[in-house]
Amino acid sequence: LRFDLTNPRAVAWARNRSSRLVTEITESVREALRALMAQAFEDGIPPREAARVIREMVGLTDAQALAVAKRRLELLAEDRTVEQVARMVERYATKLLNYRAESIARTETIAASSNGQQELWRQAIDKGLLTRDAERVWIVTPDDRLCPICEPMDGQTVGMEEEFEGGDGSRALTPPIHVQCRCAVGLRLCRRITRAPASRFTTA
């Protein structure tokens, strides 16, 4: 068993089941994203590098496109030249696209890692290396970016196949529970306490 980021189960999950949180893309792009994330795990490509490739595969979301259009109107109202507006709008659109690509790369990396680890724990249980009463604990990143969905989940403990519940009522078996989620899950082993047989001797 390999309990590390690049375990084969994580690669398999990335290849077959990743990109489920990515919206507004075609099925062919989804398949391409899955292949890319699997390759990133196998080759140890960090999310920021993967994002550069993802940027060429996806476009802006509808909401981002509307934001770009709104920005263009705002700049035109400032009595700028057409050339100035074009340059500023292009930079803004690039910024939004970069953000989307990095969000996808980071979210999918965490998803593949978490689900690959979950598969390894299942395998360990099947092999008798873990007991079925082992528990999983949700671990947050405690900084100023901690969101109201994840904050109340810190330390939440569930069974091996039970879902965690977020602060907004959403549920997830493993992180991420939302896009850009930075949480992780730890393992808590439950020891069975057996009572020792009573002694035949007594003391005064």
Side-chain angles (χ1 to χ4, degrees), residues 114-150:
S114 298
N115 282 277
Q117 184 64 76
Q118 179 73 11
E119 289 297 323
L120 278 176
W121 285 337
R122 288 171 178 152
Q123 182 182 355
I125 290 175
D126 291 341
K127 292 179 177 293
L129 301 177
L130 288 178
T131 60
R132 295 188 180 277
D133 62 352
E135 297 176 330
R136 297 177 302 132
V137 183
W138 193 273
I139 304 169
V140 303
T141 301
D143 57 19
D144 57 359
R145 294 168 56 195
L146 182 58
C147 71
I149 297 176
C150 298

Side-chain angles (χ1 to χ4, degrees), residues 4 24 31 39 60 71 81 101 117 122 124 131 156 165 172:
D4 56 70
E24 300 181 35
E31 291 299 322
Q39 192 66 41
L60 296 175
R71 181 61 174 160
T81 67
Q117 184 64 76
R122 288 171 178 152
T131 60
Q156 188 177 140
E165 183 174 353

Side-chain angles (χ1 to χ4, degrees), residues 22-198:
V22 184
T23 61
E24 300 181 35
I25 58 173
T26 65
E27 193 57 33
S28 60
V29 171
R30 192 177 307 279
E31 291 299 322
L33 283 174
R34 289 174 174 171
L36 171 63
M37 295 311 301
Q39 192 66 41
F41 264 79
E42 290 179 326
D43 295 346
I45 300 173
R48 186 174 295 275
E49 294 297 321
R52 294 181 181 178
V53 181
I54 292 174
R55 184 183 180 284
E56 304 301 322
M57 300 167 61
V58 300
L60 296 175
T61 64
D62 290 345
Q64 288 176 324
L66 287 174
V68 172
K70 180 180 178 181
R71 181 61 174 160
R72 182 188 299 275
L73 292 176
E74 292 173 347
L75 292 172
L76 288 172
E78 296 176 1
D79 196 29
R80 297 176 183 273
T81 67
V82 174
E83 290 77 12
Q84 286 178 323
V85 170
R87 288 195 300 270
M88 296 177 72
V89 168
E90 183 179 1
R91 287 197 297 268
Y92 182 61
T94 298
K95 179 180 178 181
L96 292 181
L97 185 55
N98 287 339
Y99 175 80
R100 186 185 189 200
E102 289 189 11
S103 294
I104 291 173
R106 294 182 187 281
T107 301
E108 293 305 319
T109 296
I110 290 177
S113 178
S114 298
N115 282 277
Q117 184 64 76
Q118 179 73 11
E119 289 297 323
L120 278 176
W121 285 337
R122 288 171 178 152
Q123 182 182 355
I125 290 175
D126 291 341
K127 292 179 177 293
L129 301 177
L130 288 178
T131 60
R132 295 188 180 277
D133 62 352
E135 297 176 330
R136 297 177 302 132
V137 183
W138 193 273
I139 304 169
V140 303
T141 301
D143 57 19
D144 57 359
R145 294 168 56 195
L146 182 58
C147 71
I149 297 176
C150 298
E151 184 175 10
M153 300 179 70
D154 190 31
Q156 188 177 140
T157 303
V158 300
M160 291 300 294
E161 298 298 334
E162 295 177 351
E163 292 183 328
F164 295 93
E165 183 174 353
D168 62 347
S170 58
R171 305 185 69 86
L173 182 66
T174 65
I177 197 168
H178 61 81
V179 175
Q180 287 280 48
C181 177
R182 299 173 298 140
C183 296
V185 168
L187 189 65
R188 176 178 294 172
L189 301 180
C190 301
R191 296 184 178 180
R192 300 179 183 276
I193 300 177
T194 57
R195 186 181 299 277

